[in-house]
Amino acid sequence: EASKGDVYVLCNNDIIFTQPILDAYAKTFLIPDVGIIGALLSYPNKKTQHAGLAYDKTHKSFIHINKHVLVSSPIVHKAKYVIAVTGALFAVKQEAVETVGVFNEDYFVACEDTDYCLRAWEKGFSVYYEPKIFAIHLEDATRGNDPQTKRKKGSKWIDLEREGIKRFQKTTDSSKVLKLESMI
């Protein structure tokens, strides 16, 4: 809330940069309606961790698009509008922050980014996935990326995360999400 600038880049502590990213953010923000930009994130094994999010209406949850596909695959190198992007490496225009507000603190380490993207779409800001912005995400280094690893990091951590996910699923209107996604 105290930050000043035209763009805010949020970055997890388990991101490794292998190339400069700021020029790619600046160029992508030239697209008039874009308010949020997400990056192509890879696991250290060169498989995709994040290439945008989509809504899975069968399970009423959000999924990572092309998760575990090799990063060298052309399918993950197509820039596009998406319903949401991960907050692990997330850029947002100041104008969007002024209109949408800040992240909802009711979600603990999960869903706050997705919730923010949905609120941005509702306020007229598009969410964009740009694969030219690339980094390695050591997702399991901080909190783990599966329930067993997360539990080893601390039961309170995973319990709070699960509570946040349940709260998000209860409050997310799937018909509204599907309507937003159909507009993309």
Side-chain angles (χ1 to χ4, degrees):
E1 291 175 335
S3 296
K4 303 288 181 231
D6 295 331
V7 173
Y8 307 117
V9 178
L10 307 175
C11 178
N12 280 14
N13 64 346
D14 57 356
I15 295 289
I16 298 172
F17 294 100
T18 59
Q19 63 189 36
I21 63 166
L22 297 179
D23 284 345
Y25 273 127
K27 287 177 185 172
T28 307
F29 273 125
L30 293 175
I31 301 168
D33 63 337
V34 171
I36 298 170
I37 302 170
L40 169 57
L41 298 178
S42 167
Y43 289 116
N45 67 2
K46 298 184 175 24
K47 291 190 177 177
T48 302
Q49 186 268 331
H50 177 77
L53 294 171
Y55 187 68
D56 178 349
K57 57 186 166 198
T58 303
H59 296 100
K60 295 185 179 180
S61 64
F62 291 84
I63 57 169
H64 286 264
I65 300 168
N66 298 314
K67 189 168 186 169
H68 300 296
V69 170
L70 286 173
V71 173
S72 59
S73 174
I75 196 167
V76 299
H77 288 277
K78 183 178 187 283
K80 60 187 170 190
Y81 293 96
V82 291
I83 193 73
V85 292
T86 182
L89 184 56
F90 183 103
V92 61
K93 281 183 179 177
Q94 177 194 27
E95 179 186 352
V97 173
E98 290 172 356
T99 305
V100 179
V102 296
F103 280 19
N104 184 337
E105 293 181 22
D106 288 341
Y107 306 116
F108 181 80
V109 211
C111 304
E112 72 282 0
D113 45 7
T114 307
D115 171 73
Y116 196 84
C117 290
L118 295 176
R119 291 190 289 133
W121 277 110
E122 290 174 340
K123 298 283 186 175
F125 295 96
S126 297
V127 180
Y128 201 78
Y129 162 70
E130 177 50 75
K132 290 178 185 168
I133 303 165
F134 173 79
I136 297 168
H137 187 195
L138 305 174
E139 184 180 34
D140 61 345
T142 304
R143 67 179 179 129
N145 63 3
D146 62 66
Q148 295 79 18
T149 308
K150 289 178 182 183
R151 183 70 60 197
K152 287 179 189 173
K153 302 272 182 178
S155 62
K156 185 174 183 181
W157 183 285
I158 194 169
D159 291 342
L160 288 169
E161 179 182 7
R162 285 181 177 162
E163 286 174 27
I165 291 168
K166 285 179 188 173
R167 187 176 307 113
F168 178 72
Q169 288 173 329
K170 283 181 186 174
T171 60
T172 301
D173 181 345
S174 60
S175 64
K176 189 185 290 185
V177 172
L178 291 170
K179 182 178 178 186
L180 286 171
E181 199 168 47
S182 72
M183 295 171 14
I184 298 173

